[in-house]
Amino acid sequence: MGTIADFSSNIVLSGGILVVGSVAAMVWWFWSARRQFNIQLRLAQQNMLVSSLADVQEAAILVDAKGVVDFINPAAEKILKYKIRSARGKHYGELFSLIDLLTRNPIAWLDTAKRNDRPLLRNALLNAAGLNDVQVTYTVQPILFEAVDHPCYMLMVRDQTELHALQVRLDHVQMHDPQTMLLNRKSFELRLKLAIDQVRQHGVKHSFCLISMDQFKVVNDTMGHNGGDALIERIARMLKDEIDSRRDILARLGGDEFGILFQEIEPAVAIRAAEQIRIKLEQYAFDWNKMRQNVTASIAFVPLYKALKTPNRLLSEADAACRVAKAKGGNRIHIYKPDDPEVLKQRGNMVWLDRLKKAFEAGNFRLVAQPIHDLRPAEFKKPFSHYEVLIRLYDENNQPVPPDEFIPAAEYYSMMPRLDRWVVRKLLQTLKEITQKVPRPIFAVNLSGQSLDEPTFLKFVLDEIQEAGISPAMLCFEITERVAIHNLELAQHFIETLKNLGCSFSLDDFGTGVSSFGYLKSLSVDYLKIDGSFIKDIANDDIAHAMVLSVTQVGHLMGLKVIAEYVETDRVIQILREIGVDYGQGYGISKPIPIEEAVRNHTS
């Protein structure tokens, strides 16, 4: 019995062992199968990742949480000079390092990625076998595979060498003048800003020199723009040779302007250097296409001072000083000093330049007409029919601005052609309202020498007359004696063209020139206008009286009518009648009236 019981117990025990073994085997098989499945799934995921990164331009390096390399793509093989089979299993530090651009310290990119799961694009330098400080951008992305507790990390690196080189070239283009390869105005202003700060904070002695060529327009006009470009390039090379490149800074600031910043030297030494440059330019003869042109420069010299705040202020002061040098004939240095009356005058002109531009935009100009009246007693009683057209500028308070305030600035900044065009167009459009034919009124328009020098101005006048459809006989153009002498041939052509159309001409300010009578017969004008400086003193000055008499006699011998301006009193009118002057103009006859009022007097 005992034997049978023991045997039965053994059978039960064996059966239990078999069951447990079977369960364990099943569990082991399940986990083995799952592990194999996870491995296959991970391999599948990795294969997909490998395939997707095979053709990208970025170098891709996959590492585990300890930094051990698991995979690199072909782009990474190329840049790191490692094949994947050699790289796998190594710590990334054995293959490459990323260096911070500023601190030059190695970048702990993996630690940063573990703390922050946001992939950020950053700049760095890449060092690897045979590579030093290659400009790159990089980003790190955590990758989580199936059945892996810790993520892997994908480092993507793009070589930016070509882009960096392109950026360097673009920066160079942005900061340099493309023609001379000197610094341009923008980059030079940055240097000036640093220099101004050094003067204000540490008392360092710097000086600025602005060089403006005197004959550049002449070269452009006579030798063409290619000649002008060649001159600028040669001047740039010459200036480069004259400065100490280890200390001084040279730039091209504009078309024919150069700037030199003399650094850390006494102003007296810098002035001597500037004078040497002036002499060098004066001695230079520019040869181009079998033509030669001597060149000089107007130079402004401005020692930097502590009260100076901005580069723009410095450039403005230098520009005004340079214009003083030009106004004195050029080929000289003008040293800027605070409260210099000549500089203050030039800066006033610069203010007017801005005001004139705004006046054109706002339409603040108006026309007035001052009568020019026949002085013969019988005709003197008749209504006005001859006028001089004058331009007036009104300020923001609608108050008139004296012409002697804005006209000089317009002349200085070559804005007279624009002003003259406005006057001609406005006048002709206004004269369209006139219907009176007997007597036909005459309106005289002043023209500047700058307008006559413009090749297209004559065509502009002809086109405006045709557009307005008025009788050209109503127009008289006044040009000064000085303008006529300046370019006699051009003045003759202008006069003859418009006279053939029916216009008349008046020679203004006659008697102030040095050869008035000598060239008078060369100009086909209709009126002589005696300069007012003789008229206002005619009652008390015998020389003025003799001059007016002489001009009147010569004018009449040539069949011209004589006009006296600045006629202020009855006494002057009487003297002019005795001399035989034909017309008078001035407040003693009539003040200027709005052009619209003058036109209304001739509408029926």
Side-chain angles (χ1 to χ4, degrees):
M1 290 295 291
T3 302
I4 294 173
D6 291 338
F7 179 74
S8 298
S9 298
N10 288 336
I11 292 176
V12 172
L13 181 60
S14 297
I17 292 173
L18 287 173
V19 170
V20 171
S22 298
V23 171
M26 290 178 66
V27 170
W28 177 84
W29 177 85
F30 174 79
W31 282 111
S32 295
R34 181 166 182 172
R35 183 170 177 273
Q36 186 66 28
F37 175 78
N38 288 336
I39 291 173
Q40 291 177 348
L41 183 60
R42 181 183 176 188
L43 288 174
Q45 290 176 328
Q46 287 182 330
N47 287 336
M48 290 177 63
L49 188 62
V50 168
S51 298
S52 65
L53 295 173
D55 297 323
V56 299
Q57 294 180 344
E58 289 90 345
I61 300 110
L62 182 67
V63 301
D64 64 16
K66 296 179 179 180
V68 176
V69 175
D70 190 42
F71 162 77
I72 62 174
N73 71 343
E77 289 181 329
K78 183 177 180 181
I79 195 171
L80 298 178
K81 303 295 189 295
Y82 269 91
K83 293 295 183 183
I84 186 173
R85 59 180 178 273
S86 302
R88 181 176 285 139
K90 289 185 170 63
H91 190 272
Y92 75 83
E94 299 179 55
L95 307 183
F96 68 92
S97 61
L98 294 177
I99 305 299
D100 187 276
L101 290 168
L102 298 177
T103 66
R104 306 291 299 183
N105 295 325
I107 297 172
W109 57 270
L110 183 57
D111 293 339
T112 301
K114 291 177 182 178
R115 293 193 302 269
N116 182 3
D117 60 358
R118 292 175 56 220
L120 299 176
L121 188 67
R122 294 184 172 91
N123 296 304
L125 299 174
L126 174 68
N127 288 336
L131 294 177
N132 288 309
D133 292 349
V134 175
Q135 292 272 349
V136 298
T137 54
Y138 74 92
T139 185
V140 185
Q141 173 71 55
I143 306 276
L144 186 61
F145 292 108
E146 290 291 333
V148 176
D149 295 334
H150 301 288
C152 297
Y153 295 89
M154 179 66 73
L155 174 69
M156 303 291 290
V157 179
R158 177 183 281 271
D159 186 350
Q160 301 288 3
T161 303
E162 291 185 6
L163 183 62
H164 178 69
L166 177 61
Q167 186 62 51
V168 169
R169 290 196 294 273
L170 289 175
D171 290 343
H172 185 274
V173 168
Q174 289 181 345
M175 303 301 283
H176 289 76
D177 170 58
Q179 185 179 351
T180 62
M181 291 299 108
L182 300 178
L183 293 177
N184 60 19
R185 188 183 186 96
K186 175 182 177 182
S187 55
F188 190 68
E189 286 181 0
L190 296 176
R191 305 312 198 276
L192 288 180
K193 178 67 169 64
L194 292 175
I196 290 170
D197 290 343
Q198 290 173 347
V199 171
R200 294 176 64 190
Q201 296 172 15
H202 308 294
V204 181
K205 294 183 178 179
H206 301 313
S207 298
F208 171 57
C209 189
L210 176 64
I211 302 170
S212 178
M213 306 308 300
D214 292 327
Q215 287 81 17
F216 186 61
K217 186 177 186 301
V218 175
V219 171
N220 266 339
D221 291 345
T222 59
M223 301 181 179
H225 290 287
N226 288 338
D229 290 344
L231 173 63
I232 290 300
E233 291 164 11
R234 294 181 193 180
I235 296 300
R237 289 195 295 269
M238 189 184 303
L239 294 176
K240 213 169 185 179
D241 293 338
E242 290 297 315
I243 67 167
D244 186 343
S245 58
R246 298 166 301 177
R247 179 197 66 204
D248 306 327
I249 299 174
L250 171 65
R252 184 185 183 191
L253 302 182
D256 63 345
E257 291 185 341
F258 298 88
I260 300 175
L261 179 61
F262 293 107
Q263 299 194 103
E264 300 184 27
I265 59 173
E266 292 290 336
V269 178
I271 288 175
R272 288 198 293 270
E275 175 62 13
Q276 184 60 37
I277 289 172
R278 186 199 65 77
I279 295 172
K280 192 86 171 180
L281 292 172
E282 182 184 32
Q283 295 172 343
Y284 175 66
F286 174 60
D287 293 309
W288 182 260
N289 286 346
K290 299 181 180 179
M291 291 185 287
R292 171 169 288 195
Q293 174 67 52
N294 292 324
V295 297
T296 59
S298 297
I299 300 175
F301 186 88
V302 186
L304 273 64
Y305 52 94
K306 288 188 176 182
L308 196 61
K309 295 183 179 180
T310 65
N312 283 338
R313 177 64 182 270
L314 173 60
L315 291 169
S316 174
E317 291 172 345
D319 184 63
C322 194
R323 292 183 182 278
V324 172
K326 282 187 180 291
K328 291 183 175 182
N331 190 26
R332 68 189 64 227
I333 297 175
H334 188 87
I335 301 174
Y336 172 83
K337 299 175 182 177
D339 301 325
D340 183 334
E342 293 178 294
V343 170
L344 292 174
K345 179 181 178 182
Q346 292 299 327
R347 293 183 67 182
N349 282 345
M350 293 167 68
V351 171
W352 266 112
L353 174 63
D354 184 59
R355 291 185 66 180
L356 285 173
K357 289 179 179 178
K358 292 180 178 178
F360 276 112
E361 295 171 359
N364 291 340
F365 292 107
R366 300 176 196 172
L367 294 183
V368 296
Q370 185 171 31
I372 299 173
H373 204 37
D374 196 320
L375 293 179
R376 292 174 297 176
E379 299 297 322
F380 195 73
K381 297 176 182 178
K382 294 181 180 180
F384 302 132
S385 61
H386 193 160
Y387 309 85
E388 179 182 0
V389 177
L390 304 169
I391 188 169
R392 294 289 185 262
L393 172 63
Y394 286 78
D395 61 20
E396 57 275 8
N397 297 318
N398 201 34
Q399 296 301 309
V401 178
D404 57 4
E405 289 189 20
F406 68 88
I407 293 296
E411 291 176 338
Y412 191 85
Y413 287 100
S414 300
M415 294 185 71
M416 287 306 298
R418 184 176 180 184
L419 213 57
D420 287 347
R421 286 172 184 260
W422 185 89
V423 171
V424 170
R425 177 169 289 152
K426 177 67 174 178
L427 173 64
L428 296 185
Q429 292 301 313
T430 306
L431 296 187
K432 291 165 65 174
E433 300 178 15
I434 290 179
T435 56
Q436 178 181 310
K437 295 182 180 180
V438 180
R440 190 185 300 277
I442 296 175
F443 292 83
V445 183
N446 288 283
L447 295 180
S448 68
Q450 293 175 8
S451 296
L452 291 182
D453 285 341
E454 269 201 356
T456 60
F457 187 74
L458 176 57
K459 184 179 184 304
F460 165 79
V461 174
L462 294 171
D463 290 344
E464 289 298 316
I465 293 174
Q466 183 177 9
E467 171 70 21
I470 67 166
S471 170
M474 284 197 293
L475 295 176
C476 177
F477 293 97
E478 290 192 6
I479 58 175
T480 65
E481 179 184 358
R482 179 177 55 84
V483 168
I485 294 175
H486 172 71
N487 197 329
L488 187 59
E489 184 177 347
L490 188 65
Q492 286 173 328
H493 175 66
F494 191 90
I495 292 171
E496 290 170 2
T497 302
L498 288 171
K499 277 184 70 71
N500 289 336
L501 202 64
C503 302
S504 56
F505 276 81
S506 177
L507 195 60
D508 199 7
D509 295 342
F510 190 79
T512 58
V514 295
S515 57
S516 299
F517 295 110
Y519 70 84
L520 182 57
K521 57 186 177 182
S522 301
L523 295 169
S524 181
V525 297
D526 305 277
Y527 303 92
L528 284 185
K529 188 177 253 188
I530 304 174
D531 185 75
S533 61
F534 299 113
I535 306 301
K536 65 183 180 181
D537 296 327
I538 195 172
N540 305 308
D541 188 332
D542 291 340
I543 295 177
H545 187 283
M547 187 67 182
V548 173
L549 176 61
S550 176
V551 171
T552 303
Q553 290 174 340
V554 172
H556 287 167
L557 283 173
M558 300 184 67
L560 307 178
K561 297 293 185 180
V562 179
I563 302 172
E565 54 185 4
Y566 282 68
V567 178
E568 307 294 337
T569 66
D570 291 339
R571 175 60 179 152
V572 170
I573 293 174
Q574 183 59 37
I575 294 173
L576 294 175
R577 283 174 177 163
E578 293 171 356
I579 291 175
V581 174
D582 301 288
Y583 294 89
Q585 176 184 357
Y587 276 38
I589 296 173
S590 174
K591 294 181 179 180
I593 60 176
I595 189 68
E596 294 79 10
E597 180 181 336
V599 167
R600 280 196 301 270
N601 293 335
H602 303 282
T603 57
S604 54

